[in-house]
């Protein structure tokens, strides 16, 4: 063999070895921007054909040692497995039954694949460290499951960075709207301080707000008055009291950024889609075509119209009602809603850990109450203890058991309700219906909006049956607690003083507190 041929052979061996070590390179533009981003959480995508699958596959092989790739259903990860096989040139070491790939290509010796088909599936990954968590098509996932998965993003190897990649197209259902809230500086057109593509923003959890945006990446501690202390001695505080913000960014990508799809004529297929799918997939329009479920109790547009009417008056009218939904433990919150006429104030929300017992909840409710407003409290389960303390404290509190029988009909008078829960949710629907012109005003709160738009309904004989709390939790992974508080606040009970003025006997005979708002 000549020296020239020997050099060529060595060059080929070296080329193969280099390809084995780094088998993939990102396309110039958004893919490279995402690949090189220093954000802890990277949102990528928007439109179809932007190279989301390639980014997940490539960054897994080239930059990480332990990766978890998830989809809403585990079977949906097959497309990523196929792309990984194309990049690696082999699928040696892949066990499809266990969803584990032990590969010698690239830097990642362990890749795991998972699905979040059912509530609770996320817990199988509890305590399982991965330096990369890739949540593919995250708008199809339940919010609480996605957040839980991200909570275990860690590594013991100081040479490897940890990161989360969330890829997605615009949501096509109301359930996927949480991603717009999660990346609000980039995706919410109403955000007061919009961010540029690829710009880093920092977030942490303070109180009940798990998406609290802070100015920069500096660690801080909270003072007793809630202010931030940046100039502190770490030795003076427990490590868990030192808050370290996490960075996020969003990088939009379209088919025009993908030279391979452009050559294939894929864009013409996207252009042929009907609206609003065309705007979503071709342009990455996050405001287009998010469709409500056909049986959604309260249409999203009705809630948005009530929010658009909301202005804080110079002088508030008397408070007419307080609604309270008590935390049931875990990640639940105690929510308090306050109504003045048909104007609802902003929510008061307290984590379950801050409301551990009846006296604490009762104290918060009394502090929120004004003008002798009646208190309407869900007494199912843990609500009975605050109810007893409020009653013993002389407050006008009405215990609401939504499992009891309904007391009225719908506005037409033709349909009954399966239970009181169905009746109360339907009353909110009727109050928000533009045709009824109630003038109802709701505060701008994404959680409230999501909660009010969560339940569906069905007709059971001649009775309207609204989806149960348990079924909602199974479907979307959380309970609509804040919405429930506002439903309760809509109940119209006369003040105790008014009842006494009218005569208790007459009032009890003629007044139904769960009746329709006139």
């Amino acid at each position: 063999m000549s020296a020239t041929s020997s050099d060529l052979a060595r060059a080929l061996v070296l080329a193969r070895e280099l390809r084995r070590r780094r088998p993939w390179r990102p396309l110039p533009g958004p893919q490279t921007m995402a690949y090189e981003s220093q954000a802890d959480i990277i949102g990528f995508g928007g439109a179809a054909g932007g190279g989301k699958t390639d980014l997940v596959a490539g960054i897994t092989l080239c930059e990480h040692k332990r990766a978890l790739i998830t989809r809403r259903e585990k079977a949906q990860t097959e497309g990523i497995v196929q792309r990984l096989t194309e990049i690696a040139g082999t699928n040696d070491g892949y066990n499809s039954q266990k969803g584990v790939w032990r590969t010698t290509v690239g830097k990642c010796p362990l890749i795991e694949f998972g699905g979040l088909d059912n509530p609770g599936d996320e817990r199988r990954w509890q305590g399982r460290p991965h330096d990369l968590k890739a949540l593919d098509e995250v708008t199809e996932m339940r919010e609480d499951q996605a957040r839980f998965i991200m909570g275990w993003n860690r590594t013991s190897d100081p040479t490897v960075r940890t990161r989360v990649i969330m890829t997605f197209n615009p949501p096509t259902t109301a359930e996927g709207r949480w991603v717009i809230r999660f990346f609000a500086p980039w995706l919410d057109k109403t955000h007061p301080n919009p961010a540029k593509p690829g710009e880093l923003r920092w977030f942490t959890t303070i109180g009940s707000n798990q998406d609290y945006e802070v100015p920069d990446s500096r660690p801080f501690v909270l003072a007793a008055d809630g202010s931030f202390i940046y100039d502190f001695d770490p030795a003076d505080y427990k490590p868990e009291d030192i808050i370290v913000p996490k960075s996020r960014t969003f990088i939009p990508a379209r088919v025009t950024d993908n030279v391979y799809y452009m050559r294939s004529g894929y864009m013409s297929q996207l252009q042929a889609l009907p609206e609003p799918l065309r705007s979503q997939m071709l342009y990455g329009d996050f405001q287009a075509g998010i469709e409500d479920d056909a049986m959604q109790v309260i249409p999203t547009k009705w809630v948005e119209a009530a929010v658009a009417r909301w202005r804080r008056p110079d002088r508030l009218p008397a408070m007419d009602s307080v609604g309270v939904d008590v935390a049931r433990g875990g990640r639940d919150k105690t929510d308090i809603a306050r109504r003045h006429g048909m104007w609802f104030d902003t929510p008061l929300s307290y984590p379950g850990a801050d409301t551990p017992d009846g006296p604490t909840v009762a104290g918060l409710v009394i502090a929120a109450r004004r003008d002798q407003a009646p208190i309407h409290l869900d007494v199912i389960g843990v609500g009975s203890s605050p109810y007893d303390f409020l009653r013993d404290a002389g407050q006008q509190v009405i215990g609401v058991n939504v499992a009891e029988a309904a007391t009225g009909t719908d506005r037409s008078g033709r349909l009954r309700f399966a239970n009181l829960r169905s009746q109360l949710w339907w009353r909110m629907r009727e109050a928000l219906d533009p045709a009824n012109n109630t003038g109802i005003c709701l505060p701008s709160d994404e959680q409230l909006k999501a909660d009010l738009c969560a339940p569906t309904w069905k007709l059971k004989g001649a009775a309207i049956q609204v989806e149960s709390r348990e079924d909602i939790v199974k479907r979307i992974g959380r309970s609509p607690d804040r919405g429930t508080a506002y439903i309760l606040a809509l109940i119209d009970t006369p003040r105790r003083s008014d009842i006494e003025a009218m005569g208790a006997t007459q009032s009890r005979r003629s007044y139904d507190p769960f009746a329709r708002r006139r």
Side-chain angles (χ1 to χ4, degrees):
M1 180 180 291
S2 66
T4 303
S5 61
S6 177
D7 291 343
L8 179 59
R10 284 195 296 270
L12 289 173
V13 171
L14 178 60
R16 283 195 294 268
E17 177 61 19
L18 290 174
R19 176 163 179 76
R20 187 188 70 80
R21 294 180 183 177
R22 188 177 181 183
W24 179 87
R25 292 184 182 276
L27 292 170
Q31 241 183 31
T32 295
M33 188 185 300
Y35 187 87
E36 296 177 350
S37 174
Q38 296 303 302
D40 297 307
I41 302 174
I42 302 167
F44 183 79
K52 299 187 296 296
T53 300
D54 249 39
L55 177 66
V56 170
I59 214 166
T60 297
L61 289 174
C62 297
E63 295 294 331
H64 292 275
K65 287 191 173 181
R66 291 179 63 93
L68 172 64
I69 301 174
T70 62
R71 287 288 304 265
R72 175 64 181 262
E73 299 174 7
K74 185 176 180 295
Q76 296 171 335
T77 61
E78 181 58 31
I80 299 175
V81 172
Q82 292 174 4
R83 183 58 185 138
L84 281 164
T85 302
E86 292 174 359
I87 295 172
T90 177
N91 66 353
D92 289 348
Y94 174 57
N95 186 319
S96 59
Q97 290 185 333
K98 293 184 177 180
V100 176
W101 193 343
R102 300 184 185 277
T103 178
T104 59
V105 178
K107 296 181 179 179
C108 194
L110 177 66
I111 308 171
E112 296 187 270
F113 303 88
L116 301 172
D117 306 58
N118 303 302
D121 284 352
E122 70 278 8
R123 297 193 176 275
R124 72 181 65 175
W125 306 106
Q126 185 170 354
R128 303 266 293 276
H130 299 91
D131 44 84
L132 172 65
K133 302 283 192 181
L135 284 65
D136 191 42
E137 300 297 352
V138 73
T139 52
E140 298 175 1
M141 298 180 187
R142 302 172 182 89
E143 179 180 3
D144 69 316
Q145 291 182 303
R147 289 185 183 272
F148 187 91
I149 290 289
M150 289 189 285
W152 301 97
N153 184 210
R154 63 187 185 185
T155 180
S156 59
D157 188 341
T159 67
V160 178
R161 63 169 289 191
T162 60
R163 110 178 87 189
V164 173
I165 293 181
M166 302 166 67
T167 68
F168 51 93
N169 294 323
T172 56
T173 66
E175 292 177 23
R177 292 177 190 266
W178 71 268
V179 176
I180 299 177
R181 184 175 72 253
F182 191 91
F183 290 104
W186 299 269
L187 302 181
D188 186 349
K189 292 182 178 180
T190 66
H191 194 275
N193 184 23
K196 297 178 181 178
E199 178 183 346
L200 268 61
R201 293 287 180 89
W202 286 266
F203 296 83
T204 188
T205 299
I206 296 180
S208 62
N209 189 343
Q210 58 187 342
D211 286 324
Y212 192 96
E213 186 172 354
V214 294
D216 50 46
S217 61
R218 291 176 296 161
F220 63 90
V221 294
L222 284 176
D225 61 359
S227 61
F228 297 177
I229 301 175
Y230 287 103
D231 186 13
F232 65 94
D233 184 350
D236 295 337
Y237 296 89
K238 297 177 182 178
E240 56 267 29
D241 293 333
I242 300 173
I243 300 172
V244 181
K246 289 285 189 179
S247 57
R248 297 180 194 173
T249 194
F250 175 75
I251 299 167
R254 299 181 181 179
V255 65
T256 50
D257 300 313
N258 191 328
V259 61
Y260 301 109
Y261 278 151
M262 288 299 291
R263 290 172 182 169
S264 71
Y266 181 54
M267 187 169 71
S268 63
Q269 297 182 37
L270 298 179
Q271 291 171 330
L273 291 172
E275 289 290 3
L277 199 58
R278 182 175 185 267
S279 292
Q280 291 172 328
M281 298 298 116
L282 183 59
Y283 303 116
D285 188 345
F286 280 83
Q287 309 304 318
I290 301 178
E291 297 183 358
D292 288 343
D293 188 292
M295 301 305 288
Q296 188 168 302
V297 174
I298 303 174
T300 303
K301 289 184 178 180
W302 293 6
V303 178
E304 291 173 343
V307 170
R309 287 191 293 269
W310 194 91
R311 301 286 187 280
R312 184 171 290 278
D314 295 334
R315 184 175 181 181
L316 277 176
M319 187 181 294
D320 290 315
S321 178
V322 178
V324 185
D325 185 87
V326 183
R328 292 170 170 82
R331 292 189 294 270
D332 282 356
K333 295 181 176 68
T334 292
D335 288 293
I336 302 174
R338 299 157 293 168
R339 177 172 61 80
H340 304 253
M342 290 302 280
W343 186 91
F344 287 79
D345 209 338
T346 52
L348 301 176
S349 185
Y350 306 93
D354 295 344
T355 55
D357 50 39
T360 303
V361 174
L364 293 171
V365 174
I366 292 172
R369 183 188 185 223
R370 298 287 185 276
D371 308 313
Q372 299 180 331
I375 301 163
H376 303 92
L377 187 144
D378 183 356
V379 294
I380 293 181
V382 293
S384 58
S385 177
Y387 171 82
D388 291 338
F389 278 96
L390 286 166
R391 185 188 58 189
D392 293 344
Q395 304 293 306
Q396 184 184 357
V397 56
I398 296 91
V400 182
N401 183 345
V402 296
E404 291 182 349
T407 62
T409 65
D410 77 323
R411 194 175 186 88
S412 71
R414 298 178 180 177
L415 296 175
R416 297 176 289 101
F417 298 101
N419 50 33
L420 184 57
R421 170 187 169 81
S422 300
Q423 179 176 329
L424 296 180
W425 275 95
W426 208 259
R427 292 289 177 258
M428 180 61 83
R429 172 191 167 95
E430 293 176 333
L432 288 165
D433 188 342
N436 295 330
N437 196 29
T438 64
I440 185 172
C441 299
L442 294 175
S444 178
D445 182 90
E446 283 296 325
Q447 187 64 59
L448 174 61
K449 176 181 174 182
D451 284 3
L452 290 176
C453 297
T456 60
W457 68 283
K458 62 183 178 182
L459 202 58
K460 193 174 181 180
I464 295 168
Q465 184 172 33
V466 172
E467 188 178 18
S468 70
R469 175 186 178 276
E470 292 74 20
D471 286 344
I472 293 174
V473 171
K474 289 179 183 177
R475 179 167 56 83
I476 67 174
R478 60 177 177 80
S479 173
D481 298 329
R482 189 164 301 176
T484 300
Y486 278 72
I487 297 298
L488 295 172
L490 186 64
I491 298 173
D492 198 23
T493 300
R495 290 174 176 80
R496 183 180 291 159
S497 57
D498 295 336
I499 294 175
E500 292 170 352
M502 289 187 296
T505 302
Q506 177 184 355
S507 175
R508 290 185 187 126
R509 287 177 179 173
S510 61
Y511 198 87
D512 174 9
F514 305 121
R516 221 171 13 251
R517 287 281 303 166
R518 300 293 181 184

